[in-house]
Amino acid sequence: MRDRYYSIGRGPELIFGVFLFGIGLIAAIYGLRYGLGQLNDIGPGAFPLGLGIAMMILSALAMKEAGADDPVSRRLTPAFFYLPGIIIWSLLIEGAGLVIATLALIVMCSFAEDELDLKRALLLGLILAAVGYVVFILSFGLTFNLIGDWF
């Protein structure tokens, strides 16, 4: 499956970059309003502030790239698989469990590649599910099931 590259142009790319920068700025402002807390007792505003700053930096880099002399070309296929993959993961995580939801996410996102390697996608999904188990269930103590209601 060969994906075509579409020339978007500088104007829409810059406008979208400004839009994302604005969302990051709003998140950072609200994060400051919630309070940052201390280093050993992080407040509720630390995460939105950090996320907002990261979003502003990434959108500024995207706007810099869009302002280059060369025309901007993008593949459109990832947009049709990444967001649905995240939605499928969020719908499956509670009922089907961490392993099944993560496998579904990785396989769905793998369809955006030029060549689908199902074995590699399943292996990556299992590795990420194991990392998710260690980080979220063992370290943070979150109550995700591994596989449905069985584990």
Side-chain angles (χ1 to χ4, degrees):
M1 177 174 137
R2 284 312 252 163
D3 196 11
R4 291 193 291 182
Y5 286 79
Y6 294 93
S7 181
I8 295 172
R10 291 188 203 122
E13 189 91 2
L14 286 172
I15 291 169
F16 191 66
V18 170
F19 173 72
L20 289 179
F21 190 88
I23 290 175
L25 182 63
I26 291 169
I29 289 170
Y30 274 97
L32 287 173
R33 286 184 182 174
Y34 283 131
L36 300 177
Q38 301 297 324
L39 195 55
N40 60 350
D41 185 25
I42 295 179
F47 183 73
L49 176 68
L51 189 64
I53 290 171
M55 195 169 192
M56 287 188 296
I57 291 170
L58 291 175
S59 64
L61 291 173
M63 286 186 290
K64 180 180 179 279
E65 179 183 333
D69 291 334
D70 298 330
V72 178
S73 298
R74 297 283 182 251
R75 288 180 37 207
L76 296 181
T77 305
F80 296 111
F81 290 105
Y82 292 162
L83 183 60
I86 293 169
I87 292 170
I88 288 171
W89 183 88
S90 66
L91 293 173
L92 287 176
I93 188 68
E94 205 167 306
L98 181 66
V99 174
I100 302 298
T102 305
L103 285 173
L105 168 69
I106 298 303
V107 169
M108 183 70 177
C109 291
S110 295
F111 282 113
E113 295 297 320
D114 287 336
E115 294 180 23
L116 175 66
D117 186 359
L118 193 58
K119 283 192 248 184
R120 188 180 80 170
L122 291 173
L123 179 62
L124 177 63
L126 289 174
I127 290 169
L128 288 176
V131 169
Y133 172 74
V134 170
V135 171
F136 296 114
I137 296 174
L138 293 181
S139 298
F140 293 150
L142 298 179
T143 56
F144 290 134
N145 293 326
L146 278 181
I147 301 176
D149 295 329
W150 305 309
F151 296 103

